[in-house]
Amino acid sequence: GVDRAGYLEASHEVIEFSYDWRRPIEDEARRLAAVAEAAFAAREQNGQPVRFVAHSMGGLVVRTMALQAPALWNQLLGRPGARVLMLGTPNGGSWAPMQVLSGDDTFGNTLAAFGAPFQDHAARQWMAQMPGFLQLQTGLTDVGKGLDKSSTWQALADADLKAVEDHNRWHSEGIQLDAYRWGVPPQDVLDAAKAFREALDAQRDRDLPRYADKLLLVVGRSRFTPDGIELGPQGLEYLNAVEAGDGRVTRASALLPGVRTWAVDCEHGGLADFEDAFAGYVELLDNGSTAQPAFKDVVAPQA
């Protein structure tokens, strides 16, 4: 099959930007701003636009660039033909950080690099201190959830461990409880992540409506997408999204007011490599719309 970059190169000069998901998204957004500024300046003579294709957290890096470098953002999007195409971006966050820190998900086997199964708690505690990773967590601004407090995470971790212990008490050898211990994020990391989420929400309500016609969103589809938690007899369980989701990000979290949105039949991780969608992605970048058969219109909330 053909790769995405190769497909885009038929009509665009492709400048790949790799970001470090462990670092504060603000830091990576400033790096992106420098790359975008250079690309914009290089097209000063011919007036060609700079366009962005951003998968998942990459969309948050682009949105944060707009917060970090507003004058540049206005220049970029002011040029005719400029567009930002987001693929499965967790605009309202996702449960992936808690899934990893509670030991229910390995984040695409990221933790496999950290050694034997019973050392996983150390890896999870390491992950809990990664600012960029915690900035993906949903619900940090929801007062009722209390997820902006390290003490809430610790209480959930303790309750989950106790439930696992009680459920497995019949096991004569006992279980290796270390394999079930959470990584608990420290308060300063949560404070920064909450402030980041508040800034994104303010941008969504205040600034993005002006640029809604320049922004495009494609969402995926999966049978199960975590959307909430409950403590059951066997420990913490993740609830399935009532509305659609892509396996990582609920549709409600991805959608932005007034931003045209399409759905394709692909899970979150594959959105950037889904060959059936490549032609549509190019049409979206070029025209701001697509009628490709793989794409179904989704009604975005009102701006």
Side-chain angles (χ1 to χ4, degrees), residues 204-205 208-210 212 256-259 300-303:
R204 175 197 64 205
D205 300 336
L208 289 188
R210 287 208 304 276
L256 289 169
V259 172
Q302 291 296 309

Side-chain angles (χ1 to χ4, degrees), residues 37 52 102 149 174 184 212 216 251 269:
E37 190 166 28
F52 296 86
S102 65
K149 300 282 187 289
V184 175
L216 307 157
R251 188 162 294 184

Side-chain angles (χ1 to χ4, degrees), residues 193-207:
K194 181 184 180 183
F196 170 78
R197 281 278 147 204
E198 289 173 337
L200 278 190
D201 289 351
Q203 178 198 52
R204 175 197 64 205
D205 300 336
R206 182 192 65 226
D207 302 331

Side-chain angles (χ1 to χ4, degrees), residues 14 28 49 116 131 154 205 233 271 276 278 283 287 293 301:
V14 177
E28 299 303 275
Q154 188 63 61
D205 300 336
L271 282 167
D276 289 356
F278 287 174
E283 285 183 7
N287 311 320

Side-chain angles (χ1 to χ4, degrees), residues 53-296:
V53 182
H55 178 233
S56 192
M57 182 179 173
L60 301 184
V61 178
V62 175
R63 285 185 58 190
T64 307
M65 181 189 73
L67 291 172
Q68 297 283 326
L72 173 65
W73 176 253
N74 287 330
Q75 283 185 308
L76 288 166
L77 292 199
R79 193 169 275 180
R83 289 188 182 87
V84 177
L85 172 58
M86 289 178 277
L87 310 177
T89 293
N91 285 300
S94 85
W95 288 95
M98 185 177 284
Q99 283 183 283
V100 170
L101 299 182
S102 65
D104 292 288
D105 194 295
T106 57
F107 200 53
N109 293 323
T110 301
L111 297 188
F114 291 91
F118 297 131
Q119 295 173 321
D120 277 356
H121 173 248
R124 290 196 288 269
Q125 196 51 52
W126 177 83
M127 293 279 283
Q129 297 171 60
M130 297 294 162
F133 187 54
L134 264 296
Q135 285 173 318
L136 293 174
Q137 177 64 42
T138 194
L140 293 176
T141 59
D142 184 334
V143 178
K145 287 190 172 77
L147 294 179
D148 59 330
K149 300 282 187 289
S150 186
S151 57
T152 303
W153 289 72
Q154 188 63 61
L156 284 168
D158 292 345
D160 186 39
L161 192 66
K162 185 177 186 310
V164 169
E165 205 172 0
D166 290 347
H167 184 70
N168 288 277
R169 205 170 285 284
W170 54 268
H171 197 303
S172 57
E173 297 167 23
I175 55 166
Q176 296 278 0
L177 283 180
D178 226 33
Y180 295 90
R181 290 186 202 284
W182 289 36
V184 175
Q187 191 59 50
D188 61 333
V189 172
L190 288 171
D191 288 343
K194 181 184 180 183
F196 170 78
R197 281 278 147 204
E198 289 173 337
L200 278 190
D201 289 351
Q203 178 198 52
R204 175 197 64 205
D205 300 336
R206 182 192 65 226
D207 302 331
L208 289 188
R210 287 208 304 276
Y211 302 105
D213 61 328
K214 303 277 189 165
L215 307 177
L216 307 157
L217 177 65
V218 174
V219 295
R221 198 160 65 113
S222 177
R223 284 186 185 162
F224 183 85
T225 303
D227 188 22
I229 53 173
E230 69 177 14
L231 277 164
Q234 297 181 41
L236 191 80
E237 295 173 0
Y238 290 86
L239 307 174
N240 194 11
V242 177
E243 300 287 332
D246 67 11
R248 281 268 181 222
V249 180
T250 65
R251 188 162 294 184
S253 171
L255 293 179
L256 289 169
V259 172
R260 284 200 68 186
T261 304
W262 292 261
V264 295
D265 196 9
C266 173
E267 293 204 345
H268 180 86
L271 282 167
D273 304 307
F274 185 42
E275 286 187 31
D276 289 356
F278 287 174
Y281 292 164
V282 172
E283 285 183 7
L284 289 171
L285 289 171
D286 283 341
N287 311 320
S289 187
T290 182
Q292 288 288 325
F295 290 74
K296 304 285 183 286

